[in-house]
Amino acid sequence: MEASYRFDTIESDVQQRWDAADAFAVKADDREKFYCLSMFPYPSGKLHMGHVRNYTIGDVISRYHRMCGRNVLQPMGWDAFGLPAENAAIKNGVPPAQWTRENIAAMREQLKQLGFAYDWSREIATCDPSYYRWEQWLFIKLFEKGLVYRKESVVNWDPVDQTVLANEQVVDGRGWRSGALVEQRAIPQWFARITDYADELLDDLDGLDGWPEAVKTMQANWIGRSTGLEIDFAVAGHDAPLTVYTTRPDTLHGATYMALAADHPLVAAAADADPDLAVFCDECRTAGTAEADLTTREKKGYRLPVEAVHPLSGAYLPIYVANFVLMGYGTGAVMSVPAHDQRDWEFATAYDLPIVPVVADANGNAPDISEGAVAEKGVLVNSGEDNGLDFEAAFAAIADRLEGRGIARRKTQYRLRDWGLSRQRYWGAPIPIIHCDDCGPVAVPEADLPVELPEDVTPQGAGSPLPDMPEFVNVDCPACGKAAKRETDTFDTFMESSWYFARFTCPDANAMIDERAHYWMAVDQYIGGIEHAILHLLYARFFQKLMRDLGLAVHDEPFKALLTQGMVLKDGAKMSKSKGNTVDPQALIETYGADTVRLFSMFAAPPDQSLEWSDAGVEGANRFLNRLWRLVATHVAAGAVAPATSAEGEGAELRRKLHETIAKVGDDVGRRYTFNTAIAAIMELVNALGRLDDTPSADLQGVRQEALTAIVRMLAPIAPHICDALWRELGHDGLVMNADWPVADEAALVRDTLTLVVQVNGKVRARIEVPADADRDTVAAAAVADENVTRHIDGQPIKKTIVVPGKLVNLVV
RNA sequence: GCCCGGGUGGCGGAACUGGUAGACGCGUCGGAUUCAAAAUCCGAUUCUGGUGACAGAGUGCGAGUUCGAGUCUCGCCCCGGGCACCA
C-alpha cells in the first residue's frame, strides 16, 4: 500500500465506488428502519461551517445505524424560497429563480465532495411547483375546514420604498434601504388556527422523550397555557364594560388603574375628541411589532377622561392608554396591580399612581414594595373579606363571587397566537385564492393547481412584482365565472419547511404524501440549529397533526428525537461576513480533504455546544489521519497475521484496551452522541498501538489486526473515505459501510486488580491497588495501611469509613 | 424586558449516576532524527512552594447542603440563542 496518506485520490476513488454501487438509495424492506434527517439548507450560495457541522453530525448518525443493520433513510433538499433571493435580484439583476437554482447546483456539489450518504434520488427543492402545489392543496383543505381565515394584521410599511418590510429589515425603526421611518399598517392577511391545536401541541411534548428538555420547556412557555379569570370592569358613564384577563385574580383587591392598547375601541372613541390622544396613539403604533421592542421601550401612558369601577370595592380607577399593551394580545386591556407586577409597578411609579400590596410575604407581613413589585404568591392582606386566603382559595372565592354576579368567567388562555401565513413578497408559493367582488375569497379548484409563480421576473425593490402582472392577477371567479383577481400574497416560507420531512419519504407521490410515509415516519433523529427550537419545530408539529387529521398521516408527531446543534464560532463570535471572521469549508476541503474537515468538526466540541473553530486544530485532525494511515501501512508491511489468542501479558492488556474502547465508542456514538469523546478514545487506542514494535510477535500482530479492523469500522461514520480505503488494505472485501459495527468481547474486559483512591477527610492522599473481588474490610484495611494515609491520620481515631466499590475509600477522622 | 442555554489550564474540551479535576487534541518548552530545515518520533506542561517525596490553592462571583460539590440548592455577574415577516 501507499506509504503516505493521499486524501485527494482516496476521496475521489471511494466516492466513485459509492456511486457505482448506488450505495445510498433506499426503499422500504423488512429491516428496522431509521430515518435520519438534518434540517435542509437555504441555498444561499455556498456551504458555511454551520452546514458542514450539521450535516456531518447527521451523516455520522446515519452511517452508524447503517452499520448496526438498519434500513437508513437520509435525504437532502433545499428550502428554496426566501428573502435573500429577492435581495440578490435587486442587487445583481438576476431573477430569484435563476439565482436560487444556480446556488443549489453549487451547494449540491459541495455536499457530494464532503461524502454525505444522501439518497439523492429523493432531492426536493421547495420552489418547484411539483412541491408547493401540495401545500397549496393543503391550504385549500384547511380553508374548507375553516382552519384558515382572513383578518386584519399589522405589517412594517416603508413609505419610501412602498413595500412591506420584514422585522429584520427594520433597523432602529427605519427601513434598511430607504432609511425612512417605518409605519405600521393593518392589512388583511391569512391566518392558520394553530391555537385550535394548542392543547395537543402542549400535551404531546410529554411524549417526546428524545427531545432536549430545554426545547420542550421553550415550546411549553411559548404556547403559554394559563388558567385565569376574565373580568368585566364597569366603565362610569358607559354601557359597555372593559374586559380584562388575569392569571392573578387573587390580586384583584390591589388593582389601582387600568391600561389599554392604543387600538382598543374605548380609546378610538376618546381619540376622536382629543387630538393629543390621537397623536399619542399614533406614536404607540409607530414602534415595531417585535415583542422585544415592545417590552424594553420606555413605558408611556395617556390618561383617558373616563374611569373604571373596581368590581369589589366600587372605587373609581383611572384608565390609561399604554404603549406596552397590544390589541393583538388577549383583550387589549389590562388590570394593573403595581404591587405585584413589575411592569405595572414601573408605570405606577412613573405616573404617581397608588401601589397597594395585597399579598403578604413569607412572614405574613405586607411585602416591601419600595424597590419593585413582589410577584410571589402568598396569603392575602388588605383584601377585606378575602384576607388570610392563599392563592388557590382567593382565586376560587373571588372567581365564584364575580361569576355569581355575571361579570367574570374562568378561562383558559394561551400566549400562542394564530400563525400569519401571508407575505407581501414575490419569491414564495402563491396563496391559491381568487378574490371575487361577489363571492369573496374563493379557493382555486384542485384541478387548477399548482398556481405557478411566474419565474422570469426580477424584483426591483419596490415591493412584489406580482400585483403588476395582469396575466397573473386577472382570472375568472371559479364560483360564478365573473372577472376576479388572484391573491398576490405568497406563503410564509415556514410553510415549506413544515412538511418536507414527510415528502422525502415519497417525493414523487401523486398526493401530498402517500402510504410510504407510514413506513418511514416518524423521523427517528432530527438534527438542526437551536435557533429553530420554537417556530420551525412548532409549525412542523402542527402540520403533522393537520396531515393526520386529513387522513394523510398516521403519526401524531413528526420527530421522535431531536439534536440541537450549537453554533460555529471563530474568535469567540458567530462567523459573519461583516466581522470578517468566516472560514470557507471549500478551501479546507481542498487543503486537507473532506475526512479531516469532518473529523475536526466532530472532535472540537460535543454537537449541542458551540464550536470554536481552530485552524491549528484542523491540522491536528489531519495529523491523526496521517498517523493512522502509517500505522496500517506498517502493520500490513509486517506480513501475515495469525488470529489473536492473547490470554495474558501485553497482548491481553492491549485487547482489554481495545474492547474497552469498543464499548465506550459504541456508547458515545450510539447513545450519548458525544462524538468528541468517541474520537478521543480511538486516538488513545491508536497511540497505544503506535507504541508496539513495527514487527511484533505473531500474537501481538494478531491483536493489532483485530484492533485496526475495529478502529477502521468505528471511525468509518466520521471519516468514511480513508476508512473505506484502509478496510480493503487490511484485507477485507466490499465497502466498510456495509461491515458490522464492532461489539465488545466481555471476556476481554475482565480485570484482576483495581486502583482505588484513598481520601482522608475528603482529600486524596494515596492510590492503592486491590484485588477486584476484595471485600469492604479488606479494602479499608489496605487503605489504612498506606504510609501517606497513616501520616495524615496522625494517630487520630477514625470516625467513619466510606467505601465506594471500585472507586474510593474516604476516612473521616 | 421575558423564556431557554452556557461559563473548567495559554486554547478547544474531558470528568456520563455527588466520588482521582484537566482524558484527547492544539499551543509552548526540551530532546532525538537531519549538513540544515520541513515532516516525523520521544519527554514535560493548572498555579504556588520544594532538588524531591510532598504540601497548599484551584472549575465566573458569593453563600449553603454533604464524609465528599465542576456536578445539587439559593442569590448575583458575564456570554450566547429565541421573542411570532431572517432562515
Side-chain angles (χ1 to χ4, degrees):
Chain A
M1 80 186 264
E2 290 263 357
S4 63
Y5 168 48
R6 293 285 307 276
F7 71 84
D8 44 358
T9 52
I10 289 168
E11 290 184 0
S12 63
D13 173 64
V14 167
Q15 286 177 11
Q16 276 169 29
R17 283 173 188 272
W18 296 344
D19 286 346
D22 197 13
F24 309 120
V26 286
K27 56 183 197 304
D29 64 24
D30 298 339
R31 289 175 293 168
E32 184 190 348
K33 67 94 184 177
F34 192 90
Y35 183 4
C36 184
L37 182 67
S38 296
M39 290 182 186
F40 64 167
Y42 178 79
S44 55
K46 51 186 183 179
L47 292 184
H48 55 67
M49 276 303 167
H51 293 130
V52 173
R53 187 182 192 198
N54 195 157
Y55 301 145
T56 304
I57 294 167
D59 201 43
V60 171
I61 294 171
S62 294
R63 288 171 179 270
Y64 165 76
H65 283 282
R66 178 185 183 125
M67 291 177 74
C68 289
R70 301 188 178 95
N71 189 23
V72 176
L73 169 60
Q74 191 186 205
M76 183 43 71
W78 312 96
D79 189 13
F81 278 133
L83 212 45
E86 294 193 32
N87 295 335
I90 294 164
K91 197 174 159 197
N92 307 320
V94 181
Q98 185 194 332
W99 183 84
T100 302
R101 293 209 164 83
E102 286 170 4
N103 288 348
I104 287 173
M107 291 171 76
R108 186 194 297 116
E109 234 10 76
Q110 290 189 295
L111 292 176
K112 288 190 172 175
Q113 273 186 47
L114 281 160
F116 297 132
Y118 297 135
D119 179 355
W120 283 107
S121 71
R122 294 169 185 266
E123 182 179 358
I124 288 169
T126 60
C127 61
D128 286 347
S130 61
Y131 180 81
Y132 65 68
R133 74 170 289 173
W134 296 111
E135 70 195 45
Q136 293 176 331
W137 175 87
L138 180 86
F139 179 87
I140 289 167
K141 293 292 153 199
L142 299 180
F143 181 70
E144 289 164 358
K145 291 179 77 175
L147 280 168
V148 293
Y149 63 99
R150 224 156 107 91
K151 75 166 183 191
E152 293 247 315
S153 174
V154 230
V155 294
N156 301 307
W157 177 256
D158 186 321
V160 171
D161 278 350
Q162 292 284 298
T163 186
V164 175
L165 299 179
N167 285 341
E168 181 190 55
Q169 297 172 312
V170 180
V171 182
D172 297 329
R174 292 175 181 275
W176 66 338
R177 285 162 54 80
S178 68
L181 272 178
V182 170
E183 298 169 5
Q184 302 297 301
R185 278 202 177 179
I187 57 173
Q189 306 199 66
W190 290 99
F191 284 81
R193 292 190 195 279
I194 191 172
T195 51
D196 280 12
Y197 285 76
D199 281 321
E200 198 190 346
L201 287 167
L202 181 63
D203 296 339
D204 284 359
L205 288 172
D206 286 340
L208 295 177
D209 299 328
W211 282 43
E213 285 304 320
V215 174
K216 288 192 278 186
T217 306
M218 280 190 267
Q219 291 217 350
N221 291 341
W222 184 261
I223 294 166
R225 181 164 63 195
S226 63
T227 50
L229 197 62
E230 201 172 68
I231 307 172
D232 301 330
F233 282 65
V235 179
H238 284 68
D239 293 335
L242 194 53
T243 302
V244 304
Y245 174 82
T246 179
T247 57
R248 293 294 304 273
D250 59 315
T251 64
L252 178 56
H253 291 277
T256 56
Y257 66 98
M258 312 291 284
L260 306 188
D263 297 316
H264 195 280
L266 197 63
V267 178
D272 289 342
D274 180 351
D276 288 346
L277 174 57
V279 169
F280 180 79
C281 290
D282 282 343
E283 280 172 18
C284 290
R285 291 187 195 103
T286 54
T289 50
E291 191 190 346
D293 297 337
L294 206 68
T295 50
T296 51
R297 77 173 67 142
E298 191 191 346
K299 314 273 179 296
K300 283 187 180 164
Y302 190 100
R303 186 162 175 174
L304 293 184
V306 287
E307 291 181 314
V309 181
H310 195 288
L312 297 178
S313 68
Y316 286 98
L317 304 180
I319 304 178
Y320 283 80
V321 184
N323 64 353
F324 55 87
V325 182
L326 261 202
M327 199 58 213
Y329 300 100
T331 61
V334 176
M335 79 171 202
S336 296
V337 184
H340 304 292
D341 180 282
Q342 184 60 22
R343 197 173 56 182
D344 295 346
W345 186 92
E346 286 168 22
F347 189 86
T349 305
Y351 287 86
D352 210 14
L353 294 160
I355 302 175
V356 182
V358 293
V359 177
D361 65 16
N363 304 319
N365 303 316
D368 176 13
I369 45 141
S370 58
E371 298 297 322
V374 176
E376 283 76 35
K377 288 170 184 167
V379 172
L380 267 58
V381 292
N382 293 334
S383 298
E385 60 183 305
D386 297 312
N387 280 344
L389 299 179
D390 64 11
F391 171 78
E392 279 80 17
F395 189 126
I398 291 170
D400 286 347
R401 226 151 57 230
L402 298 184
E403 280 180 346
R405 287 164 55 192
I407 57 163
R409 295 146 304 272
R410 284 180 168 86
K411 197 182 168 194
T412 298
Q413 186 160 292
Y414 304 89
R415 205 187 77 97
L416 180 69
R417 310 199 297 263
D418 275 341
W419 174 13
L421 303 175
S422 306
R423 295 294 181 269
Q424 296 70 46
R425 302 199 204 298
Y426 159 70
W427 189 235
I431 297 178
I433 288 287
I434 292 165
H435 295 284
C436 171
D437 288 342
D438 292 347
C439 309
V442 180
V444 171
E446 271 185 52
D448 294 347
L449 294 180
V451 178
E452 286 203 37
L453 182 72
E455 291 200 351
D456 193 17
V457 177
T458 309
Q460 304 297 321
S464 168
L466 291 177
D468 303 324
M469 300 177 71
E471 69 276 23
F472 179 78
V473 175
N474 294 330
V475 64
D476 293 339
C477 171
C480 70
K482 280 180 52 178
K485 303 260 183 220
R486 204 181 278 289
E487 169 80 61
T488 56
D489 281 0
T490 51
F491 282 133
D492 176 8
T493 55
F494 276 125
M495 284 283 276
E496 285 85 57
S497 54
S498 292
W499 67 286
Y500 76 109
F501 46 87
R503 185 71 183 179
F504 272 140
T505 66
C506 49
D508 55 355
N510 189 28
M512 191 172 189
I513 50 174
D514 64 24
E515 69 289 341
R516 286 171 286 177
H518 306 341
Y519 171 81
W520 288 112
M521 287 293 284
V523 173
D524 294 278
Q525 183 64 59
Y526 195 35
I527 305 127
I530 182 70
E531 66 272 19
H532 295 292
I534 296 176
L535 292 178
H536 161 60
L537 289 168
L538 191 65
Y539 293 146
R541 295 180 59 221
F542 173 47
F543 255 57
Q544 180 68 30
K545 294 175 195 301
L546 292 175
M547 291 191 287
R548 177 201 61 195
D549 290 348
L550 285 168
L552 293 166
V554 294
H555 295 90
D556 295 326
E557 286 287 336
F559 313 121
K560 265 188 235 168
L562 173 70
L563 180 57
T564 52
Q565 178 206 204
M567 286 192 315
V568 182
L569 310 177
K570 181 84 198 297
D571 307 323
K574 189 175 176 171
M575 288 186 187
S576 74
K577 280 183 198 142
S578 59
K579 289 197 201 86
N581 63 343
T582 55
V583 174
D584 182 10
Q586 192 61 43
L588 290 166
I589 295 167
E590 282 160 17
T591 309
Y592 300 105
D595 283 338
T596 292
V597 176
R598 294 170 59 122
L599 179 64
F600 178 73
S601 299
M602 294 298 94
F603 180 61
D608 55 346
Q609 283 179 29
S610 62
L611 181 156
E612 175 68 32
W613 194 262
S614 156
D615 293 338
V618 178
E619 283 186 40
N622 189 245
R623 252 191 317 254
F624 172 72
L625 293 182
N626 274 299
R627 202 154 60 229
L628 178 63
W629 184 274
R630 283 197 306 272
L631 182 62
V632 172
T634 304
H635 171 74
V636 170
V641 166
T645 54
S646 294
E648 55 189 16
E650 196 182 357
E653 288 272 314
L654 198 55
R655 278 200 85 228
R656 189 173 66 220
K657 177 83 179 166
L658 165 63
H659 287 277
E660 281 173 354
T661 304
I662 291 172
K664 173 161 178 62
V665 171
D667 190 47
D668 285 355
V669 174
R671 178 182 66 89
R672 294 211 303 154
Y673 291 160
T674 52
F675 311 110
N676 55 329
T677 54
I679 294 165
I682 293 171
M683 285 175 168
E684 281 192 60
L685 182 58
V686 168
N687 290 344
L689 292 172
R691 281 181 220 114
L692 294 178
D693 293 339
D694 285 356
T695 49
S697 66
D699 181 49
L700 284 173
Q701 173 76 345
V703 176
R704 190 161 69 178
Q705 173 74 15
E706 184 188 4
L708 288 171
T709 295
I711 286 168
V712 165
R713 282 180 291 162
M714 290 189 288
L715 204 58
I718 296 166
H721 308 90
I722 185 176
C723 289
D724 207 49
L726 292 176
W727 182 246
R728 280 181 294 277
E729 297 291 357
L730 286 167
H732 304 285
D733 294 327
L735 301 170
V736 70
M737 69 171 87
N738 294 330
D740 291 336
W741 185 259
V743 179
D745 174 6
E746 293 294 328
L749 296 173
V750 176
R751 281 175 182 274
D752 299 337
T753 61
L754 295 172
T755 304
L756 299 189
V757 160
V758 184
Q759 298 180 332
V760 178
N761 287 340
K763 283 188 188 292
V764 179
R765 296 302 179 189
R767 286 170 180 79
I768 55 171
E769 191 87 354
V770 295
D773 55 0
D775 64 17
R776 222 187 116 87
D777 293 340
T778 316
V779 168
V784 177
D786 182 89
E787 191 185 340
N788 202 40
V789 170
T790 310
R791 197 157 65 78
H792 281 277
I793 291 172
D794 195 22
Q796 300 168 85
I798 294 169
K799 287 192 220 152
K800 201 168 174 185
T801 303
I802 292 139
V803 179
V804 181
K807 295 269 186 191
L808 61 67
V809 182
N810 189 12
L811 305 168
V812 185
V813 299

